[in-house]
């Protein structure tokens, strides 16, 4: 294989997860006749679309060598706010959705301000806001699920036919967001600044990059993605669920790390995160089709993330 062909291949951090996705798909296809069907793949995409959008925000933060433990609880708070605004207060559904997204973005801004202005560790900051968001969600909802959500708020849970397969509009939105974020990181100066800050913040500052503004923008963008995920959660489940998002922080971190984004910052890709999200979805779907109890699915997810982090650690040491 010549050097030119090697240059055209995707980086190992993306190629490795893709090979793992193909191998996992072939394995589950050999174990269940229902796995290799358009309807099942559509179901996998539906199952991962919420955590997939959350993982977009998580990727941006991890690229700056941070981490966000609050994402799942912030998403749950946003879904309760928008559903209660529409159901209990009678606010126009579209305005209610905007309010829910604004709440999530504001919490993202709070996380960013505490990390950049007061220089607190992202792990501690987001651990605190995770508990704050959880408490606010339970207090505001009374720990009760919000039902009778307006039909217009469930648009992204509706489907359209593509051949014999039903595709949800939420899946289309998730893929569109991945494409836009990929283009932003690859082709824009602010996108390249995210990598620069994550790789070496001091060097980035010396080259004239406003590292504080970049970090603040990243956390706000992550909050925006969590707000969009809360809208998808309401659309898919048809309710505002205060118990939602309990495992989404771990699931999103798992997807980001499996997808090849380094926890040390500065390395990774949105394409890798999408593959990581699909790997998590394929494993859970495949194990379900095989009749494996859900507790073993959690076990497998834990093993996958440890293997991915160990690989990242070894690669970082060699680098």
């Amino acid at each position: 294989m010549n050097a030119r062909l090697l240059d055209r291949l995707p980086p190992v951090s993306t190629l490795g997860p893709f090979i793992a996705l193909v191998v996992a798909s072939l394995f589950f296809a050999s174990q269940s006749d229902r796995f290799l069907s358009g309807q099942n793949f559509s179901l996998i995409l539906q199952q991962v679309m919420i955590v997939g959008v959350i993982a977009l925000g998580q990727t941006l933060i991890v690229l700056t060598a941070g981490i966000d433990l609050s994402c799942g609880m912030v998403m749950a708070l946003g879904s309760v706010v928008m559903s209660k605004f529409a159901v209990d207060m009678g606010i126009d559904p579209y305005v209610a959705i905007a309010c829910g997204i604004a709440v999530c973005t504001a919490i993202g801004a709070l996380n960013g301000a505490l990390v950049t202005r007061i220089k607190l560790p992202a792990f501690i900051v987001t651990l605190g806001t995770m508990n704050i968001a959880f408490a606010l969600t339970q207090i505001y909802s009374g720990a009760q699920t919000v039902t009778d959500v307006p039909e217009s708020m469930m648009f992204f849970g509706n489907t359209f036919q593509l051949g014999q397969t039903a595709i949800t509009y939420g899946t289309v939105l998730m893929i569109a967001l991945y494409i836009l974020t990929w283009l932003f990181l690859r082709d824009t100066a602010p996108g390249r600044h995210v990598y620069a800050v994550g790789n070496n913040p001091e060097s980035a500052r010396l080259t004239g990059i406003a590292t504080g503004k970049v970090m603040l923008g990243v956390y706000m963008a992550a909050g925006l993605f969590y707000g969009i995920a809360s809208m998808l959660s309401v659309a898919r489940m048809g309710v505002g669920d205060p118990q939602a998002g309990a495992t989404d922080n771990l699931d999103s971190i798992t997807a980001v790390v499996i997808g090849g984004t380094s926890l040390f910052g500065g390395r990774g890709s949105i394409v890798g995160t999408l593959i990581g999200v699909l790997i998590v979805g394929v494993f859970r779907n495949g194990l379900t089709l095989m009749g494996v109890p859900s507790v073993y699915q959690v076990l497998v997810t834990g093993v996958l993330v440890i293997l991915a982090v160990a690989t990242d650690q070894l690669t970082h040491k060699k680098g």
Side-chain angles (χ1 to χ4, degrees), residues 209-223:
I209 296 174
T211 56
K213 290 183 179 178
V214 172
M215 294 281 285
L216 183 60
V218 162
Y219 279 89
M220 288 184 68

Side-chain angles (χ1 to χ4, degrees), residues 57 60-61 68 101-113 213-227:
L60 294 177
I61 292 176
D68 192 348
I101 293 175
V103 167
C104 295
T105 307
I107 294 179
L110 174 63
N111 284 336
K213 290 183 179 178
V214 172
M215 294 281 285
L216 183 60
V218 162
Y219 279 89
M220 288 184 68
L224 176 63
F225 282 125
Y226 306 156

Side-chain angles (χ1 to χ4, degrees), residues 183-263:
L183 291 173
F184 168 77
L185 288 174
R186 193 192 67 164
D187 295 338
T188 70
R192 304 313 300 174
H193 291 171
V194 173
Y195 283 98
V197 170
N199 190 45
N200 191 323
E202 184 60 20
S203 295
R205 187 185 67 79
L206 293 174
T207 59
I209 296 174
T211 56
K213 290 183 179 178
V214 172
M215 294 281 285
L216 183 60
V218 162
Y219 279 89
M220 288 184 68
L224 176 63
F225 282 125
Y226 306 156
I228 295 173
S230 68
M231 177 184 68
L232 293 178
S233 175
V234 173
R236 183 163 192 261
M237 296 188 289
V239 297
D241 185 3
Q243 311 304 327
T247 62
D248 284 353
N249 53 357
L250 180 59
D251 287 346
S252 64
I253 293 170
T254 302
V256 171
V257 175
I258 290 177
T261 298
S262 173
L263 289 172

Side-chain angles (χ1 to χ4, degrees), residues 1-12:
M1 192 177 297
N2 58 41
R4 181 174 295 180
L5 181 57
L6 286 174
D7 290 340
R8 291 181 179 179
L9 289 175
V12 175

